[in-house]
Amino acid sequence: MTIGHTMAAVGAALLLGLPLLGFLAISLLGRRLSQRVVRWLGPGVVLVAFAVVVVLLVATLSRPAADRSTTVVLWQWLQLGVPRWHGIPGTQGFNADFAVTIDPLALVMAAIITGVGGLIHVYSVGYMAQDRGFNRFFAYMNLFVTSMLVLVLSANLVFLIIGWSMVAFASYALIAFWYERPSAVAAGRKAYISQVIGDLALVLAAFLIFINLRGPSGRLLHTVSLPQIFANVGPGPHFHAGLGPVGGGVVTVIGILLFIGAAAKSAQWPLHTWLPDAMEGPTPVSALIHAATMVTAGVYLVVRFHPVFQQAPVAAAVVAAVGIGTALMAGVIGCTQYDIKRVIAYSTMSQIGLMIFAAGIGAYSAAIFHLLTHAFFKALLFLAAGNVIHAVGGEQDLRRMGGLGRRMRFTYPAFVVGSLALAGIPLFSGWFSKEELLGNGLVLGPATPWLWVIGILVNVLTSFYIFRVVWIAFHGAPASEAAGAAHEAPRVMLAPVLVLAGLAAVAGILNVAFADWHPISWFASFLRPVVGVVRTHPAAGADGLALLVGTAMSLGGLGLAALVYQRRAIPADLISRRWPWLYQLSFRKFYWDEIYDAALARPVLALAQGLQRVVEPRIFDGAVRGVRDAVAGLCQDFRSFQTGYFREYATVFFAFAAIGLLVLGLHLT
Amino acid sequence: MTGPLGMAALVAAPPWYPLHFAPASNLVEFLPELVVAAGMVAVLVTDLFVGPTHRRRLPLLTGLTLLAALLIAVGEWVGHVPGRPVFDGAFAADRFGLFADFLILLVALAVTALSPAYLQRRGLESGEYYVLLLAAVTGMMVLSGATSLIVVFLGIELLSIPLYVLCALNRDDALGQEAAIKYLLLGGFASAFLVYGMALVYGETGATQLGRIHQVLLHGSLAGRTDPMLLAGIALIGVGLSFKVSAAPFHWWTPDVYQGAPVLVTTFMSVATKVAAFAAFLRIFSVTFGTAQSDWAVPVALVAIASMVFGNVVALGQRSLKRMLAYSGIAQAGYVLIGVAVGQPDGTAASLYYLAAYAAMNTGAFGILTALSGRGEDCDDYEGILGLARRQPLLAALMALFLLSLAGFPLTAGFFGKLFLFSAAIHDGEVPLAVWGVLTSAVSLFYYLRVILTMFTEPGGAGEPVQVAGMTFEGGAVARAQLALVRPALGTRALLTLFAAATLVLGLFPALVDSLIQGIHVVAG
């Protein structure tokens, strides 16, 4: 079985078409479709799409490594290249074909989106069973999956941006899903505004690429085809080839703009504040969008555009620094939060910071591998947290839980597996991915090894805050009536959790490398055709050191959490008493919301109110009214010609013909 | 000498023999026209000899005739790759003419399908209706392939005279009678200009065949010279054709006639006539007079701008749906004229694409009005469609699609129609045309969206006036207008859905039709 053009086209069409079909069917039929049907249809389309991904994966694996990328045009839409319509993808000119690329990177992403996404859909059947908006929920979820697949499969900048924005919309709709709650609507709005900032940056980056990219001979290409962009982005024989010299102004600006887009999607500083608020959405949404897929789209974008970042070392350094900085900041915040979902949300922000860091230093396959394992264990943690919230009647405050471990015989161990994987405890999947990532951080990138040191600190924080949750929520005595009466979740919600727990435990095996026999791990060699391999011969000493220190730090964090929350050897309020400012800094989330409110929201609002009072009525309304009156007046004037009398029509007709001839005569003489 | 949208070589004219007979085999190329003409005679004769109960078969006969012509035209499309002149250069057997024929026949088929129910409701059933329809179709098809000034004139008259009569179909309607007489008088007036222009061109070039005129302009005594008589001739022909495509400032008849004629006739007239007249316009100006383009491009561009501005601006003030669509049609003619002004080959291709889009969306929009029109009068008031979305969601959705397409929204036919025209204008260096096109499109949004807004606004309770985009609706008038509307039958709704599908296909997969157009060769004669 080989992956030819036909197979890629059919596969991609099915992959995109199935969730789209689900969305259209559920949204167009609406209430006429019973919940019983939607229960099968919603998850069904995503799971079948996952089967398609598996087939495509097998087909791709059966090809030689050099031949694993297929680009096909699914839909010829807007072609303004000259001459039009000769059917060759990526020809010169603005040809916004919907072309898709089936390559290892796209397939890994598609597998996460449909695989983890499918499990979350199944889980939602139980979680949302009592909700009035059951059908609406699955319509949005299917739309989200479609959008995300458009994003990762697209081989064209225009459609990449379309997918990018559709994802933002679907996320907005799902965060604000419970639209009766003002806080949910506000959270949706906040998320959407952040996304739009990112969209704008991405559009600008695309535009700069479009107007600046030159072929090897120095000719402007004016292309939006991704394969063509990546093939030409590097310097060529001509002085002006590609996007100019390495580290040039244009390519650096493009890199920064791309990263702003990525930062908005991936909740990286300074566009990170929407993610915790997004927890207002139903928990499956948090698992699908704000853990496994959408927030990792920024990582995907940086990895996909690595040829651009390789030309722009400054932009790449910014990516790495912002990533690791966000990882640290979110880790610190995560240690003091009491809302179970918010702790996991900050943990997501922190872990994605690590992935962004890896993508910034050029460890692309490590970034994507951590993305994969993170999708497993983070979706697991969210779903397990969802079970907990479900069990205690919607309560999300850790302080009102406690002792749930005894009542939730399956959820508890699953949550612990997720925590172990997240903390990077040896042999769990997170250990493989995070240690590879940090090992690369020790030897690659700017400011080595200082960024790595921060990464190691993040390790401590990560295992501390997640085991803090484990001990507070699942151990000790129930802190509320609801916690005392908690019950295990129904089977439809347990099954996905247990599958994810299995994956979170063992997925690391994909990345095992053996020093001599097979120095590059299976996963890295799979991604190699797309992203290359940064280090073909890892420095054994440095890697070993990184591994040892990193693992020790993770275990240390776990131990610390045990000392504080289980043994109670260290009082939990030690920091808040000794260094209250530090505690407040963390508890108040570094005051970013307040800073934005004071520095951006209030001044902009004040400005807007001022403009509304003064400028709007006098200038803008005046101008609009002026245009309207002018056009309306013109309309009245013109209408007055239309008298209805034949004699006048004939006269005017004749007059215009005569004027025309007269002008012609004058023109000739 | 053929290339993409280029010209076929001229057939040598007989050197001395005064009477010459073209070989009968040329008739094969004329088969679609012959079939429609024969169908017309058949309908006429059948109508004379059958009783009223069998009259119901007439639309079927008409439809079959049109279908047969369509199938033959498809066959001929496959046959003529480069195209060739026939009848000594008086008629062209080329894909350009056939493309126009397709659009004309498809629109005529749709109109025939809508006819029985509409005519019955309005009490206008008559056999001559179908005869006149087929006669007009014959004229349009003759015009789209005409490559001789005589045949052009013949085609124009053959299509116009039946239309004059069709406008007056409702003999009890004073407005319709007035429209018909205005159309007749102004049409005769315009024909005079046209014939005068033809005479001048013949006088200067000594030829009636477009191909020979082209040769004279290219290689003959007039090559490279600006000849005043010839220019005057071109100008007068332009005036005559501008009248037929209802371009400003020669459009005066359009709103009155579109409003006065039964809406079904308007549907046919507004689309099919325009397609045929533009086929002649493109062939005569872009190809035959192509060498003199520098002389006529600016006047044509001015007419295009005048049409876009006038049509779109005046449409804003209309309270009659038919008049609004009439002014919209004037504006649409202005857009197609951009392609004429740009010339071969990009402008012609863009114009053809726009005509295809126009055929889909404008037939759809008028078709909706036809389908809604009830016993008393045509669906013409905004009152009637207030809240249509609630009562007839499908029709409201389809109408919204057609109007969005007319406005040029992406994913609809109109978007690519405008995009190709504007980009052809920009590539050709005629940036002002594109700028005027975009600005007037923005203006047009108001009156298209106003209809959509009206359809999607709930009518208020009794005695409560409703405000929609500057229009006030009184409860009583609303109730009266809505009572007059009907719920169309399943077949009608399916037909309109097909046109909506065509509008979407032209907007989603432009390559399907544009690749056909890119393969068209225009024969000059």
Side-chain angles (χ1 to χ4, degrees):
Chain A
M1 194 159 51
T2 57
I3 179 153
H5 274 248
T6 317
M7 180 165 188
V10 171
L14 278 176
L15 202 49
L16 293 164
L18 284 164
L20 183 65
L21 187 78
F23 163 67
L24 289 178
I26 299 173
S27 55
L28 289 180
L29 295 175
R31 297 204 176 161
R32 267 170 285 177
L33 217 55
S34 82
Q35 190 164 330
R36 198 183 297 251
V37 177
V38 174
R39 202 157 64 186
W40 288 100
L41 183 67
V45 288
V46 181
L47 289 173
V48 176
F50 177 65
V52 174
V53 177
V54 171
V55 171
L56 288 174
L57 261 175
V58 171
T60 301
L61 281 170
S62 67
R63 298 279 275 201
D67 194 21
R68 283 180 179 169
S69 173
T70 314
T71 299
V72 284
V73 176
L74 280 189
W75 174 32
Q76 282 195 337
W77 183 54
L78 209 161
Q79 291 210 328
L80 294 179
V82 179
R84 295 204 289 264
W85 319 123
H86 38 67
I88 305 160
T91 45
Q92 224 214 328
F94 184 77
N95 292 340
D97 298 325
F98 184 35
V100 294
T101 296
I102 303 286
D103 68 357
L105 178 59
L107 282 175
V108 168
M109 293 302 291
I112 295 172
I113 295 160
T114 54
V116 177
L119 288 173
I120 295 168
H121 273 73
V122 172
Y123 178 89
S124 308
V125 169
Y127 194 85
M128 302 300 290
Q130 309 301 324
D131 202 282
R132 276 193 308 124
F134 188 84
N135 291 7
R136 188 164 59 92
F137 183 80
F138 277 96
Y140 290 159
M141 291 286 269
N142 282 347
L143 174 67
F144 174 79
V145 170
T146 314
S147 321
M148 198 69 205
L149 286 170
V150 170
L151 197 172
V152 299
L153 293 181
S154 178
N156 181 302
L157 261 179
V158 174
F159 282 88
L160 179 92
I161 290 170
I162 290 175
W164 192 260
S165 313
M166 278 166 63
V167 164
F169 169 74
S171 150
Y172 162 79
L174 283 164
I175 293 170
F177 179 77
W178 284 313
Y179 54 83
E180 310 90 347
R181 290 189 195 166
S183 61
V185 174
R189 212 158 45 202
K190 187 170 175 182
Y192 200 65
I193 290 170
S194 308
Q195 295 307 311
V196 169
I197 295 172
D199 290 353
L200 181 67
L202 187 62
V203 170
L204 287 176
F207 186 67
L208 284 178
I209 291 174
F210 181 71
I211 61 170
N212 283 306
L213 185 68
R214 290 166 188 272
S217 61
R219 192 172 47 104
L220 280 171
L221 287 178
H222 287 317
T223 179
V224 288
S225 148
L226 290 181
Q228 220 185 5
I229 290 170
F230 297 147
N232 286 299
V233 80
H238 190 273
F239 175 69
H240 285 301
L243 287 170
V246 174
V250 173
V251 75
T252 304
V253 170
I254 291 172
I256 301 271
L257 285 170
L258 284 173
F259 178 60
I260 294 175
K265 269 279 170 297
S266 288
Q268 297 298 294
W269 179 87
L271 293 169
H272 65 281
T273 57
W274 64 271
L275 184 61
D277 290 14
M279 297 302 124
E280 290 286 345
T283 304
V285 172
S286 312
L288 176 62
I289 300 186
H290 307 120
T293 55
M294 170 176 148
V295 287
T296 57
V299 183
Y300 167 80
L301 187 80
V302 176
V303 172
R304 185 54 96 187
F305 278 83
H306 72 275
V308 175
F309 284 98
Q310 282 172 348
Q311 302 302 313
V314 176
V318 169
V319 173
V322 170
I324 202 77
T326 308
L328 179 67
M329 180 186 77
V332 170
I333 298 173
C335 293
T336 57
Q337 300 302 309
Y338 283 108
D339 182 320
I340 184 168
K341 280 178 71 180
R342 282 185 188 243
V343 175
I344 307 177
Y346 279 106
S347 152
T348 303
M349 197 190 290
S350 168
Q351 296 300 306
I352 289 169
L354 290 181
M355 295 173 214
I356 291 275
F357 162 69
I361 61 173
Y364 305 116
S365 120
I368 296 294
F369 188 62
H370 194 53
L371 193 161
L372 176 73
T373 59
H374 176 260
F376 294 147
F377 62 69
K378 193 52 65 72
L380 164 64
L381 286 174
F382 266 118
L383 294 187
N387 283 354
V388 168
I389 295 165
H390 205 254
V392 295
E395 183 58 67
Q396 302 195 6
D397 194 326
L398 284 172
R399 287 166 294 191
R400 298 177 60 77
M401 294 177 185
L404 295 173
R406 261 160 286 144
R407 287 178 188 76
M408 305 185 79
R409 282 282 167 223
F410 293 98
T411 301
Y412 169 59
F415 194 93
V416 171
V417 168
S419 304
L420 291 168
L422 168 64
I425 303 305
L427 298 182
F428 288 89
S429 62
W431 181 68
F432 289 92
S433 56
K434 207 183 334 172
E435 296 312 331
E436 185 201 4
L437 192 159
L438 290 172
N440 282 320
L442 180 59
V443 288
L444 287 176
T448 321
W450 299 109
L451 296 185
W452 173 75
V453 172
I454 301 178
I456 294 301
L457 272 177
V458 173
N459 255 6
V460 184
L461 294 169
T462 307
S463 43
F464 176 77
Y465 63 64
I466 197 65
F467 280 98
R468 168 175 170 266
V469 172
V470 170
W471 268 298
I472 298 183
F474 292 99
H475 290 253
S480 66
E481 265 179 49
H487 54 88
E488 184 56 286
R491 252 180 250 162
V492 68
M493 288 163 70
L494 269 181
V497 168
L498 296 178
V499 172
L500 284 171
L503 287 170
V506 302
I509 212 160
L510 291 175
N511 206 31
V512 178
F514 300 95
D516 298 324
W517 172 59
H518 197 263
I520 302 166
S521 73
W522 179 87
F523 191 80
S525 63
F526 180 57
L527 281 184
R528 189 177 188 166
V530 185
V531 299
V533 169
V534 184
R535 298 182 299 153
T536 39
H537 297 289
D543 279 353
L545 173 71
L547 183 66
L548 275 180
V549 176
T551 310
M553 289 294 185
S554 300
L555 291 169
L558 171 59
L560 196 62
L563 284 179
V564 177
Y565 295 102
Q566 203 213 0
R567 303 259 164 201
R568 301 187 191 282
I570 304 174
D573 56 356
L574 179 71
I575 301 238
S576 59
R577 275 195 288 110
R578 279 282 179 82
W579 298 289
W581 59 271
L582 181 60
Y583 177 81
Q584 284 300 321
L585 200 61
S586 162
F587 187 68
R588 300 275 174 211
K589 303 164 260 182
F590 287 74
Y591 296 98
W592 282 115
D593 279 325
E594 287 80 357
I595 292 170
Y596 285 164
D597 194 48
L600 291 175
R602 273 167 206 279
V604 169
L605 211 59
L607 182 68
Q609 277 160 352
L611 291 175
Q612 193 185 13
R613 255 198 311 278
V614 184
V615 180
E616 175 84 12
R618 296 205 190 142
I619 296 175
F620 289 116
D621 279 0
V624 169
R625 235 177 272 130
V627 170
R628 183 196 67 189
D629 292 347
V631 174
L634 206 59
C635 178
Q636 290 308 322
D637 293 347
F638 283 167
R639 283 177 77 179
S640 62
F641 284 106
Q642 200 82 38
T643 52
Y645 291 113
F646 165 72
R647 54 175 186 272
E648 290 181 11
Y649 290 176
T651 312
V652 178
F653 188 126
F654 187 81
F656 274 108
I659 291 169
L661 285 178
L662 209 65
V663 171
L664 204 69
L666 287 176
H667 173 71
L668 283 174
T669 55
Chain B
M1 198 186 97
T2 57
L5 294 163
M7 291 180 318
L10 182 70
V11 169
W16 52 269
Y17 194 59
L19 258 181
H20 172 77
F21 295 100
S25 62
N26 281 346
L27 283 173
V28 174
E29 307 291 1
F30 201 60
L31 209 51
E33 285 83 356
L34 286 180
V35 166
V36 179
M40 172 185 78
V41 175
V43 172
L44 183 64
V45 173
T46 317
D47 184 37
L48 282 178
F49 289 103
V50 299
T53 47
H54 291 287
R55 287 245 166 87
R56 296 178 184 228
R57 306 270 166 84
L58 294 180
L60 187 67
L61 189 57
T62 310
L64 287 176
T65 303
L66 292 168
L67 201 63
L70 188 64
L71 290 178
I72 295 168
V74 170
E76 298 205 334
W77 172 281
V78 178
H80 313 139
V81 178
R84 65 195 184 91
V86 290
F87 298 115
D88 286 345
F91 192 79
D94 63 352
R95 288 187 165 181
F96 176 80
L98 286 173
F99 187 81
D101 289 350
F102 290 154
L103 299 179
I104 294 163
L105 288 168
L106 285 170
V107 172
L109 267 172
V111 167
T112 310
L114 290 171
S115 296
Y118 174 80
L119 295 179
Q120 196 193 9
R121 283 201 301 274
R122 299 293 313 277
L124 298 174
E125 281 173 304
S126 58
E128 59 268 29
Y129 168 82
Y130 296 102
V131 177
L132 292 166
L133 187 74
L134 287 175
V137 170
T138 314
M140 289 165 184
M141 292 169 71
V142 168
L143 183 58
S144 73
T147 52
S148 152
L149 294 176
I150 308 286
V151 182
V152 168
F153 186 69
L154 195 70
I156 284 190
E157 292 307 306
L158 186 51
L159 80 86
S160 301
I161 294 167
L163 285 179
Y164 301 148
V165 185
L166 280 174
C167 287
L169 195 63
N170 190 354
R171 266 170 290 176
D172 304 328
D173 181 19
L175 211 57
Q177 301 300 307
E178 184 190 327
I181 205 80
K182 269 185 196 162
Y183 193 21
L184 170 67
L185 290 172
L186 276 170
F189 196 66
S191 289
F193 278 81
L194 188 72
V195 174
Y196 198 176
M198 287 176 173
L200 288 176
V201 170
Y202 174 67
E204 285 303 289
T205 60
T208 53
Q209 287 100 323
L210 297 183
R212 289 183 62 189
I213 294 171
H214 182 72
Q215 290 299 323
V216 171
L217 294 185
L218 200 62
H219 304 299
S221 53
L222 292 175
R225 232 157 40 84
T226 321
D227 180 75
M229 275 308 163
L230 179 75
L231 278 191
I234 293 176
L236 292 177
I237 293 178
V239 168
L241 288 174
S242 298
F243 172 86
K244 279 293 153 200
V245 302
S246 63
F250 309 106
H251 66 278
W252 307 101
W253 60 280
T254 313
D256 296 1
V257 173
Y258 279 20
Q259 190 185 20
V263 63
L264 183 62
V265 175
T266 310
T267 311
F268 178 62
M269 190 160 57
S270 71
V271 184
T273 313
K274 211 166 270 190
V275 170
F278 264 116
F281 215 136
L282 287 164
R283 198 192 289 273
I284 296 175
F285 275 75
S286 301
V287 181
T288 309
F289 299 149
T291 48
Q293 199 191 4
S294 54
D295 293 317
W296 55 257
V298 172
V300 169
L302 286 176
V303 171
I305 293 172
S307 305
M308 291 187 284
V309 172
F310 197 96
N312 281 319
V313 167
V314 181
L316 295 174
Q318 301 307 316
R319 281 296 306 249
S320 143
L321 289 167
K322 279 153 84 180
R323 277 187 94 82
M324 182 276 285
L325 283 176
Y327 283 107
S328 142
I330 293 168
Q332 309 283 338
Y335 294 121
V336 184
L337 276 175
I338 293 178
V340 179
V342 169
Q344 283 273 64
D346 286 351
T348 312
S351 288
L352 285 180
Y353 196 90
Y354 202 91
L355 286 175
Y358 184 71
M361 60 201 184
N362 215 49
T363 312
F366 269 117
I368 299 259
L369 297 188
T370 307
L372 285 171
S373 295
R375 201 165 299 282
E377 55 185 12
D378 284 341
C379 168
D380 193 27
D381 298 322
Y382 283 77
E383 273 82 7
I385 58 165
L386 183 69
L388 187 70
R390 174 77 65 186
R391 287 172 288 135
Q392 302 200 28
L394 178 73
L395 285 200
L398 296 181
M399 187 67 172
L401 176 72
F402 295 133
L403 292 173
L404 289 177
S405 179
L406 282 166
F409 262 61
L411 305 184
T412 62
F415 173 71
F416 278 103
K418 282 185 179 158
L419 185 69
F420 290 156
L421 282 168
F422 297 164
S423 78
I426 289 168
H427 276 293
D428 195 49
E430 315 249 12
V431 179
L433 274 178
V435 171
W436 279 104
V438 171
L439 285 179
T440 52
S441 296
V443 171
S444 76
L445 270 182
F446 180 79
Y447 62 84
Y448 290 129
L449 289 182
R450 176 147 86 170
V451 175
I452 298 177
L453 196 60
T454 309
M455 291 190 301
F456 284 82
T457 302
E458 291 287 324
E464 240 181 282
V466 182
Q467 286 268 352
V468 179
M471 296 183 299
T472 311
F473 295 108
E474 301 296 342
V478 170
R480 231 175 304 119
Q482 292 190 347
L483 270 183
L485 298 191
V486 293
R487 186 181 169 76
L490 184 66
T492 306
R493 280 180 280 158
L495 181 75
L496 292 168
T497 311
L498 272 182
F499 271 82
T503 306
L504 278 178
V505 165
L506 284 166
L508 290 173
F509 308 101
L512 284 181
V513 172
D514 199 51
S515 56
L516 287 186
I517 291 173
Q518 297 289 334
I520 282 179
H521 302 253
V522 191
V523 171

